[in-house]
Amino acid sequence: MKTMNPLPFLKSLVYLSLLLFSVTAEDQESTTATSIIFTTLGRSDYAYDIFTLPASLPPTPSDEIPITDSNSVNFNGHFPSPSPSLLSFLSNNNQTPSLQLIYVTERNGSSNIYYDALYYSTPQNTLSKSSPLRLRLQLPLLDLDSSTQEDNTVISMKDKPTLTADGYLIYVSTHEDPGRPRTSWAAVYSTHLPTAFTRRLTPYGIADFSPAVSPSGVYTAVASYGLDGWDGEVEVLTTDIYVFLTRDGTQRIKIIENGGWPCWVDDFTLFFHRRSGLDEWISVYKAVLPQNGPVSTDSVTIQRVTPPGLHAFTPATSPGNNNFIAVATRRPNSSFRHIELFDLVKNEFRELTRLVSSNTHHFNPFISPDSARVGYHKCRGEKSKRKDENTHLLLENVKSPLPDLSLFRVDGSFPSFSSAGDRIAYVDFPGVYVVNPDGSNRKQVYPETAFSTAWNPVHEGIVYTSTGPTFASESTEVDIISINVDDVDHNGVKKLTTNGKNNAFPSVSPDGKWVAFRSGRTGHKNLYIMDAMEGEEAGLQRLTEGPWSDTMCNWSPDGDWIAFASDRHNPGSGSFELYLIHPNGTGLRKLVESGSAGRTNHPSFSPDGKTLVFTSDYGGISGEPISNPHHYQPYGEIFTIKLDGSDLKRLTHNSYEDGTPAWGPKFIRPVDVKWAKNEECAFEDCHWLNEMPNGAVLAAPFDTTTATSHCAA
């Protein structure tokens, strides 16, 4: 059994959050140390904090209390019941906390589960936004810093925590590779906080999501595909709900077909969501298990709870509470996701968050054990920051599993490094930008809509991009252009393709003379090579040919190979795999097989040319997509692989959409890079929640044309 030590020895009143590095910047001044940057759709704008409102009265803005500390993103909270294991952390403080919270946080570059005890100067029943916070005790419940760099428990996603009364922390982790392509790594684990003993509760070969522990702690319910596995769903998952013993994962039984996000009222009653097969609305349902006799899908009674006419999902309950549940909703007259209470006696909704913050998305409610409070997370926004405080990150450090590699999430898309590694180009819809790795000298070098960037390694300051509509047909005009980013007069833009078709994803040869790109000029997207300075008018070489899509090419540093993504194994299916080919058209071979209907895209060579970084759904899906904001494909993670097909490594773990990676020649010190961006919370709710079953469309507050996903554009 893997042990992830909690920190029972931390009894001090203040937890000091220190970002520790296994190596210093000076240690990394070697030719082997490098950096990878990548995009996560919308993630840089999340700024999640957890808030709470009283459940008893219609709230006002002054009733909303922020619970978490605005450090990184904090989400998927849980109000724990009184527990001796938690009280042991507070032995130096004789007072009972006003609020206690367990939640997921992504601070310090990795996902972890934290516990906060909050002490206010006013009584709990009179808490408000203006109540002075006297003391916050904070500590991580999983000691990831003590693990070695080779220990995958450090680099993994943690999600949906619950603490039992006897001190067992139940949660999702993605630290174990099932060893099969396009298979989720998500599994449920139990860590006994007093002893640090950790046990896997999910059977090997199966993935579980969204665990919920019954009030007694005896049972855990999960959403799971069972042995069937994930088949590529990205909306409301058609998982089933299984129940097993919390103590060891045994006596696992499927109790509900087609359901997700379970939550318990008592040991025989739970709620869940599903999309109705009759009217297509997403609704909350109630399941009652028999108290005597066998439990199965046939013996469980299911009743629809929330009515059609709106989407209601991610339900929350509290022990013994038969009066109301909390749900997230999307109503036809609203552009935003809100938290509402549903009265189980009167069968009617009662609004909560719209009365407090009407133009903000609110996610994943949870209820206190005494049913007095409802918690949720949302973007904290600009108003939460001091005037002199800048918390927006241009580059967010993500903990790397490799000691000689730093890893960053960039607030942009399609990044690329200059040959010296001293500048980064990226797109930000609209426009192409250039910035130094330390965040200085950021400037826009092209104002129009563009995607993909590449530097000329010989001609300093020349950046290539494709300008025009994204995700367009073969016949839509998209052009390759070169940009002289050092031209102070902004006249250094040159159009290199002239045929009026879809030309995109340029990559430059190491001698700076040629550009490989994909073009739809024959009715299919294939690869071509043209002159890097004069474009196709100076000559054009066709590299691949066939009734399929070859795209997203990248030229190796030694010039021997061009890597690209292709659906040639199943044209038009949307499934892409990675291939290698010599620039003269010989030596074609498949490098990465995506699995059935899988997607593997955006290859980028390492500076030594021995390894590729790419994005893929190899790791399947890690959580229920409905619990997050919009992602076109909420499963992309960043991987590396050697050119002989060996040594596949997963670098990122989350339930978001990671894509468009780039590998730079220099090591960037693993610290966050801030920049003066005033915009936060500019992310979208799931696009498919905008669609009503009758064919009408719900209001959508944001422009939906700024796709930055890792699939073919």
Side-chain angles (χ1 to χ4, degrees), residues 51-65 127-129 338-341 349-358 362 372-374 376 378:
F51 294 76
T52 181
L53 283 169
S56 57
L57 299 172
T60 65
S62 64
D63 294 321
E64 186 181 54
I65 303 172
L127 287 178
S128 69
K129 183 178 293 186
H338 282 294
I339 307 303
E340 304 187 38
L341 301 183
F349 285 97
R350 179 157 61 87
E351 291 186 302
L352 279 183
T353 59
R354 193 190 66 81
L355 304 177
V356 172
S357 180
S358 60
H362 302 75
R373 290 200 160 271
V374 177
Y376 50 88
K378 69 173 186 177

Side-chain angles (χ1 to χ4, degrees), residues 305-307 323-326 340-344 347-350:
V305 175
T306 60
N323 295 319
F324 67 88
I325 59 174
E340 304 187 38
L341 301 183
F342 186 78
D343 191 313
L344 297 172
N347 290 325
E348 62 184 24
F349 285 97
R350 179 157 61 87

Side-chain angles (χ1 to χ4, degrees), residues 127 527 589:
L127 287 178
L527 300 185
R589 63 183 174 92

Side-chain angles (χ1 to χ4, degrees), residues 2-3 112 273-274 397 469 539 546 703:
K2 184 70 67 176
T3 298
N112 203 346
H273 66 222
R274 69 158 60 135
N397 171 52
D703 178 16

Side-chain angles (χ1 to χ4, degrees), residues 308-321:
L310 78 166
H311 294 311
F313 45 92
T314 57
T317 56
S318 52
N321 180 1

Side-chain angles (χ1 to χ4, degrees), residues 166-229:
D166 50 357
Y168 286 91
L169 184 67
I170 312 300
Y171 56 96
V172 170
S173 180
T174 59
H175 65 271
E176 291 187 287
D177 181 358
R180 296 198 309 272
R182 214 163 185 250
T183 300
S184 175
W185 297 26
V188 175
Y189 295 82
S190 167
T191 294
H192 188 231
L193 296 185
T195 64
F197 179 73
T198 295
R199 180 196 300 272
R200 181 181 172 122
L201 302 181
T202 300
Y204 287 96
I206 290 176
D208 285 341
F209 314 106
S210 312
V213 180
S214 68
S216 70
V218 174
Y219 303 108
T220 294
V222 295
S224 179
Y225 287 106
L227 292 172
D228 293 336

